Amino acid sequence: MALRHAVLAALLDGELSGYELAKAFDLGVANFWYAQPQQLYAELTRLEKDGLVTGREVVQETRPTKRLFHVTDAGLAELEGFAVASAKPSFIRDDLLVKVRAVDHVDAAALVAQLAERAAFAQAKIDLFGKLLRSMRGDRTEEAFLRHGDRIGPYLTCLRGLAFEQGNRDWCERTITVLRERQAAHVRH
């Protein structure tokens, strides 16, 4: 997947400025595609040049003029082509996992601190995803929203982000418990 597809998908809900797109990425897209704001601005420029998005200037009285972008028919066709193409499996590249792999030869106490930090980060994301999910479905149950909601794509990706972060938190907490128990057993011997 290219960043262009993630940007096009983020713009499906309506016009966004570059700043609003960066915020949308932080809240909803970052669970499956991370990008720096400067990458997003550069991608918007490329997408507009390629005719996949179009932008319009909005003059604001008390703030600088902003540019709002929306997906063109060509952008929708690009997304359609992307959607029907085979998806590649995802792979994990995580320095924390490398550190855990080496735990038998490094300072486990420092690693426990990093695992606790990662678990706390995951919990914060879990809380955020919970709020986003409740906001998207409103007063409907999840089942009712998934059956009858207008746009379920963002909801489904948010559910995946939630499950991912729950898995991260649970694994970190279990790993911390294992390392602490092993350390305690080692001290007793």
Side-chain angles (χ1 to χ4, degrees):
M1 174 168 89
L3 177 59
R4 71 181 15 220
H5 300 116
V7 170
L8 288 169
L11 290 172
L12 290 175
D13 288 324
E15 287 185 314
L16 296 175
S17 67
Y19 174 77
E20 292 164 335
L21 178 65
K23 286 183 71 167
F25 257 70
D26 278 349
L27 291 176
V29 181
N31 65 19
F32 59 87
W33 193 269
Y34 178 77
Q36 297 282 342
Q38 59 268 30
Q39 292 174 292
L40 296 173
Y41 287 109
E43 191 60 39
L44 281 170
T45 300
R46 282 189 289 274
L47 289 168
E48 189 169 29
K49 181 177 167 260
D50 294 344
L52 302 178
V53 302
T54 188
R56 67 180 179 92
E57 300 285 324
V58 176
V59 177
Q60 304 178 100
E61 288 185 27
T62 60
R63 306 186 82 178
T65 298
K66 70 178 177 178
R67 193 157 173 75
L68 295 177
F69 296 90
H70 71 272
V71 179
T72 64
D73 289 341
L76 289 172
E78 172 76 18
L79 272 175
E80 180 66 31
F82 172 72
V84 299
S86 294
K88 297 175 185 171
S90 58
F91 299 94
I92 298 173
R93 289 180 58 169
D94 187 338
D95 60 341
L96 187 58
L97 290 174
V98 174
K99 294 174 183 186
V100 171
R101 173 74 167 89
V103 73
D104 301 309
H105 303 281
V106 299
D107 179 12
L111 191 50
V112 165
Q114 292 177 45
L115 287 160
E117 183 179 305
R118 179 74 62 90
F121 177 80
Q123 185 59 56
K125 292 283 286 197
I126 290 165
D127 296 342
L128 176 63
F129 287 135
K131 282 184 190 176
L132 287 170
L133 290 166
R134 286 188 297 278
S135 173
M136 283 188 251
R137 72 176 176 261
D139 60 356
R140 293 178 276 189
T141 65
E142 185 166 272
E143 293 76 23
F145 178 78
L146 290 173
R147 278 195 196 101
H148 306 292
D150 292 333
R151 288 221 340 108
I152 63 165
Y155 194 90
L156 292 170
T157 58
C158 196
L159 282 177
R160 178 62 184 115
L162 176 65
F164 178 77
E165 293 301 345
Q166 287 169 331
N168 284 339
R169 179 204 56 204
D170 295 348
W171 177 81
C172 287
E173 289 174 352
R174 179 165 189 225
T175 303
I176 289 168
T177 299
V178 168
L179 294 177
R180 285 182 175 156
E181 288 174 352
R182 289 176 58 88
Q183 185 179 29
H186 185 317
V187 169
R188 285 188 291 239
H189 286 96

